[in-house]
């Protein structure tokens, strides 16, 4: 076979002239592919004499290996050049400060729950929790709610579905957090001082009611608990929660199955100028219900009403949040966008503090 030097130089020039990976692959197929020029020359070895085959075969193998190495080197060189160009165009200054990332914040309801919890913790109340799907006994019977009470009807309460042949006592989505009080009494006995925050469910929906809302209830049981201590507790809470120096509460006689005597609690306020001001003015606003725990409720909790007595109260977390932050529609908490909440001071960058309020 003729000298392979010109052929070698021809393919090395084509390899060095390849400008991108696609051109490299094109050269490889033309030289070393099944129908490439070097491969075709390898097939001609069968027509040569043994002496020619040995000499030419060795030369072709060496040429093939050399071209393969040259192809790999050229491909690597192109990749390195592309990386250098990319690094030159996409350089990063590591001395620059980091990019700020938006910081989330807790929901207003969660924030107010934390505020309420912190205030009552300062007065010695611990937090008690219970299931949101409750038995009929814990939700009604243990709380001295009679079988004919309207709250036990399907138009007021969400009852869990039962199969037609299932005769077990019904279960409900709890209508208040009062069942947690029963469970706490059974677990801890007396004396006891707890608050019970959580979600509750009732079949109600308008500007000031939603089917799911949030309550916090309080329970204190000891030997000599009185209505006077209940009044002091609520006054201290309102003073701290609404951040006013002085509050005035008015107790109105009422009826709740689980307390006796029972009282609705109003707070003195002022509506002049279209804004609510707590602690001043000539108006009164109902904010919660309260009373002394009924003896039947104490018995259901496993506590002897002859030896112990206590008070209880309950309020809507959503409601007191509306009062504190001036939100007129309860549905704003659940159906509105961030612009609505920001209007009332709950901006995306606000960070809640455990002791209540916003740290800006």
């Amino acid at each position: 076979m003729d000298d392979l030097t010109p052929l070698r130089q021809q393919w090395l020039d084509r390899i060095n002239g390849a400008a991108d990976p696609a051109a490299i692959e094109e050269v490889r197929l033309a030289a070393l592919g099944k129908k490439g020029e070097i491969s075709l020359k390898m097939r001609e070895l069968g027509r040569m004499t043994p002496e020619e085959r040995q000499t030419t075969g060795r030369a072709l193998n060496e040429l093939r290996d050399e071209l393969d190495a040259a192809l790999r080197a050229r491909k690597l060189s192109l990749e390195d050049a592309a990386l250098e160009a990319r690094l030159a165009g996409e350089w990063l200054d590591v001395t620059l400060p980091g990019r700020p990332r938006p910081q989330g914040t807790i929901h207003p309801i969660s924030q107010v729950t934390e505020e309420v919890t912190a205030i009552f913790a300062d007065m010695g109340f611990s937090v008690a929790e219970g299931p949101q799907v409750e038995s009929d006994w814990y939700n009604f019977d243990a709380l001295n709610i009679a079988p004919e009470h309207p709250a036990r009807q399907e138009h007021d309460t969400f009852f869990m579905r039962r199969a037609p042949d299932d005769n077990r006592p019904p279960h409900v989505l709890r209508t208040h957090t009062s069942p947690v009080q029963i469970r706490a009494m059974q677990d801890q006995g007396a004396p006891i001082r707890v608050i019970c925050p959580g979600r509750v469910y009732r079949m109600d929906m308008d500007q000031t009611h939603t089917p799911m809302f949030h309550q916090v209830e309080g329970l204190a049981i000891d030997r000599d608990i009185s209505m006077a201590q209940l009044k002091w507790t609520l006054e201290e809470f309102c003073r701290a929660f609404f951040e006013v120096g002085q509050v005035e509460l008015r107790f109105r006689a009422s009826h709740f199955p689980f307390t006796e005597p029972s009282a609705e609690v109003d707070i003195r306020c002022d509506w002049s100028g279209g804004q609510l001001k707590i602690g001043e003015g000539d108006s009164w606003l109902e904010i919660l219900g309260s009373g002394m725990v009924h003896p039947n409720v104490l018995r259901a909790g496993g506590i002897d009403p002859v030896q112990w007595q206590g008070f209880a109260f309950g309020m809507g977390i959503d409601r007191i949040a509306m009062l504190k932050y001036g939100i007129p529609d309860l549905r704003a908490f659940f159906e509105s966008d961030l612009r609505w909440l920001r209007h009332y001071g709950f901006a995306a960058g606000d960070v809640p503090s455990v002791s209540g309020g916003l740290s800006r």
Side-chain angles (χ1 to χ4, degrees), residues 18-22 73-91:
D20 53 53
R74 181 59 178 166
K75 182 178 180 181
L76 183 61
S77 175
L78 290 175
E79 290 175 350
D80 289 343
L83 179 59
E84 289 292 335
R86 180 180 175 186
L87 292 176
E90 299 181 2
W91 65 276

Side-chain angles (χ1 to χ4, degrees), residues 34 86 101 112 133 148 155 166 201 244 260 296 359:
K34 289 184 177 181
R86 180 180 175 186
R101 301 180 65 180
V112 171
V133 177
E148 67 276 7
H155 59 76
D166 190 342
Y201 307 85
V244 295
E260 180 60 38
N296 289 345
S359 301

Side-chain angles (χ1 to χ4, degrees), residues 28 48 54 90 106 130 133 167 195 199 203 212 214 273 290 297 300-301 334 339 341 346:
R28 187 190 71 80
M48 298 180 183
Q54 183 178 6
E90 299 181 2
I106 63 174
V133 177
N167 296 319
I195 59 168
R199 295 185 183 92
M203 301 184 79
M212 183 200 77
H214 303 78
S290 65
V297 175
F334 304 102
R339 291 169 295 181
L341 293 178
F346 297 100

Side-chain angles (χ1 to χ4, degrees), residues 185-260:
M185 285 188 282
Q186 291 177 337
D187 293 341
Q188 302 178 35
I192 187 174
R193 194 181 303 181
V194 295
I195 59 168
C196 312
R199 295 185 183 92
V200 296
Y201 307 85
R202 295 180 191 174
M203 301 184 79
D204 206 352
M205 180 64 175
D206 58 36
Q207 186 176 2
T208 57
H209 297 86
T210 61
M212 183 200 77
F213 55 103
H214 303 78
Q215 277 189 344
V216 58
E217 299 189 13
L219 172 70
I221 298 175
D222 212 321
R223 299 286 186 182
D224 300 310
I225 293 289
S226 68
M227 289 285 287
Q229 291 164 320
L230 168 63
K231 185 173 185 294
W232 177 88
T233 300
L234 296 178
E235 286 176 345
E236 289 297 306
F237 167 75
C238 291
R239 187 179 294 111
F241 180 75
F242 292 109
E243 301 178 24
V244 295
Q246 188 61 38
V247 297
E248 183 177 351
L249 299 182
R250 180 178 69 179
F251 283 60
R252 289 181 291 106
S254 184
H255 169 72
F256 303 115
F258 28 79
T259 53
E260 180 60 38

Side-chain angles (χ1 to χ4, degrees), residues 125-154:
F125 287 81
S126 60
V127 175
E129 296 180 328
Q132 296 180 42
V133 177
E134 269 293 5
S135 70
D136 188 69
W137 187 86
Y138 275 106
N139 198 79
F140 296 121
D141 293 325
L143 294 162
N144 201 41
I145 299 176
E148 67 276 7
H149 195 280
R152 304 186 76 150
Q153 306 303 312
E154 291 189 356

